[in-house]
Amino acid sequence: MNRGAKSKEGNLKWWQLSLLGVASTIGTGYFLGSALGIRLGGPAFLLSIIMAAAATYFVFDVLAKMTAEDPQKGSFRTYAKKAFGRWAGFSTGWMYWCSEVLIMGSQMTALAIFSRFWFPSVPMWIFASGYAVLGLIVIWLGNKGFDRLENVLAVIKVAAIVMFLIIAGAAWMGWLKGGTKPHFPGSLNAFFPAGGKGVWSSLIFAFYAFGGIEVMGMMAVRLKNPKEAPKSGKVMIILLSIVYVLSIGLAVMMVAWNQFSTTKSPFVVALSSYQLPFIPHIFNAVLIVAGFSTMVASLYAVTTMLVTLSEDHDAPKIFAAKKFHRQAPVYALSLTAGGLILSIVLSLLIPGKIYEYLTTAAGLMLLYNWLFILISAGKIVQLTVWGQIKRYTGMLLIVSAVSGTAMHPTSRTGLLISLGFLVIIGLVVLCMRPIWKKSGSGQGKTLNKSKLNPKPAR
C-alpha cells in the first residue's frame, strides 16, 4: 500500500488507475452492505449512493492534489502530521488502522453469511475461521502472491456484476419465468417508504460501498502524469456510481424493498425470485470469491499501515522488525491475526447482529479519516472558491452520514463502537504528548503552500 513514490512513478495511465480503482473498491460493502441501506431507506437508498459518490469524489480530489504535488509515503497521514502536528498524524494513522481492522472483520463476517446460503446450520464462526486462515496464508506468501490473486479476483468480481445486469435486463424484457417484471416505484411513498429519516440513516452504508478511496490517493503517484490524478478519480467515481445505481436500482425493482434480508446479498435475493435454479448459486459463489479478494486487501492494508506507523515511531518498534519468511512482517501480521480472532469471537457471541455492528463502525471510522483529509487540505492546499465549496460540501455530507447513524438502533451501536475507538486513541495521544514534547517531535512542519501547489487548484 504505502510504497515509495519514485519506484512506482510512471507506470499507469489515468484511465488504468480509474479501472483499477473500480475493481479494488467494489467489495462486500456493495455486495452485502447495500442490503442494510435498502432496508433502512427503501428504493430511496439510490439517492444516498449519489450523495456518497459526490462526497467520495471531493475527498479523492483534494487527496490527489496533495499526492500529485508532494508525494509522501504516509499519504494522508503525513499531510495531517505536517498540517497540525504529530498528534494528527498519529491519530489519523491509528484511526485508519482501526477502520481497516473493523472492515476486515465485516468482510470476514460477510463471507460467512454468503457461505451459510448453502449451509445454514453451520455456525458463522467456523466459516469465519476458515477464511481468516486462508487470508493470512495469502499475505504470508508475500507481495507477488497477493498481486496475482487480486488481479484474478478483480476480473471475477466485475464479471459477477455484469452477469447480474444481463439477467436483470432479461427480466426487464420479460424473458424470464417466475418472479415479477421489474417496475419503478409508482409514488413518492413507494420511493420513500421510510421518509427522509430512512435516507439519512442509510447514508453510512452508501459511503461504506465506496470505502478504499484513500488507497487510490496513495496510488496516484504511479501515474505517468500525476497531474491527471483528479481526472482519474472523477472517471472512477462516475463508473462506480453508474454500476451501483444500475445494479441496486434493478434489484429493488425486481423485489419489494422490505423483502431484502441482511443475511443474504440483495442480488441473490433478487435472482432467487425467478426460475433460475443454478444462477443464484453461481452468483453466490462469485460473491464469496469477490469478498475474499477485499478481505485479503484489507489484511494487506492493515498490516502495511502498522509497519509504516512503527517505522515513523508512532507504534512499537517491534512491528517494523521482522521479516523472516518471504519478507512478511511477522509481528505486524500477528497483531492482525489477533484482530481476526476478536472478530471470530464476536461472531460466536452475537451472530445475529455482528455484521451490522461491524459494518457501521467500520464505515464511521473510515469517514472520520475522510473528514480529516478534507480538513488537512484546507490548510496545506491553495483552493479556488469552487474548490472550497466542494470541500465544505464533502464535509457536510460526511457529517450527515455520521449523524444519521444515531437515527436507528442497529447503526447506533456501531456509532458507539466507533466513538469508543476514538476515545481510546485520544487517551493515548494525551499520554504521548509529554513524551513527544520532550523529544521535540510534537509539532509537525507546516507545508509550504507554494511548494505544494504553486498555482491555485482548478
Side-chain angles (χ1 to χ4, degrees), residues 58-72:
F58 297 154
V59 173
F60 180 88
D61 189 46
V62 296
L63 182 58
K65 285 180 171 65
M66 292 188 288
T67 304
E69 297 296 338
D70 184 29
Q72 293 286 341

Side-chain angles (χ1 to χ4, degrees), residues 390-450:
K390 291 192 294 182
R391 189 174 73 91
Y392 280 113
T393 302
M395 293 169 65
L396 178 62
L397 288 170
I398 289 174
V399 171
S400 298
V402 172
S403 59
T405 59
M407 298 295 105
H408 193 272
T410 298
S411 55
R412 197 177 300 136
T413 302
L415 173 62
L416 295 176
I417 293 173
S418 70
L419 292 177
F421 276 101
L422 290 187
V423 169
I424 293 172
I425 294 172
L427 291 174
V428 173
V429 168
L430 289 176
C431 294
M432 293 298 296
R433 290 196 73 162
I435 299 175
W436 295 334
K437 187 175 181 180
K438 187 177 180 180
S439 63
S441 61
Q443 298 297 324
K445 297 179 180 179
T446 302
L447 284 176
N448 186 330
K449 288 188 177 184
S450 62

Side-chain angles (χ1 to χ4, degrees), residues 117-118 268 271-272 276-287:
F117 177 74
W118 295 311
V268 172
L271 294 175
S272 298
L276 303 167
F278 298 107
I279 294 298
H281 295 276
I282 295 174
F283 197 83
N284 194 66
V286 173
L287 293 186

Side-chain angles (χ1 to χ4, degrees), residues 11-73:
N11 290 341
L12 294 177
K13 297 179 181 178
W14 70 265
W15 59 267
Q16 290 176 314
L17 182 61
S18 296
L19 295 179
L20 182 61
V22 171
S24 61
T25 301
I26 296 173
T28 55
Y30 160 73
F31 285 124
L32 183 59
S34 55
L36 298 173
I38 295 171
R39 290 286 298 180
L40 289 174
F45 179 60
L46 296 173
L47 296 179
S48 296
I49 293 174
I50 294 172
M51 288 187 284
T56 302
Y57 172 67
F58 297 154
V59 173
F60 180 88
D61 189 46
V62 296
L63 182 58
K65 285 180 171 65
M66 292 188 288
T67 304
E69 297 296 338
D70 184 29
Q72 293 286 341
K73 184 178 180 181

Side-chain angles (χ1 to χ4, degrees), residues 19 35 137 150 153 167 230 249 269 341 353 367 371 440 455:
L19 295 179
I137 290 174
E150 285 297 295
L153 298 187
I167 295 173
V269 172
I341 293 172
K353 293 292 184 180
L367 290 190
L371 187 61
K455 297 181 181 179

Side-chain angles (χ1 to χ4, degrees), residues 178-211:
T180 58
K181 184 176 180 179
H183 62 280
F184 291 104
S187 65
L188 279 178
N189 288 336
F191 190 74
F192 292 94
K197 182 179 177 180
V199 178
W200 190 11
S201 302
S202 69
L203 258 177
I204 184 63
F205 301 108
F207 271 96
Y208 187 63
F210 287 93

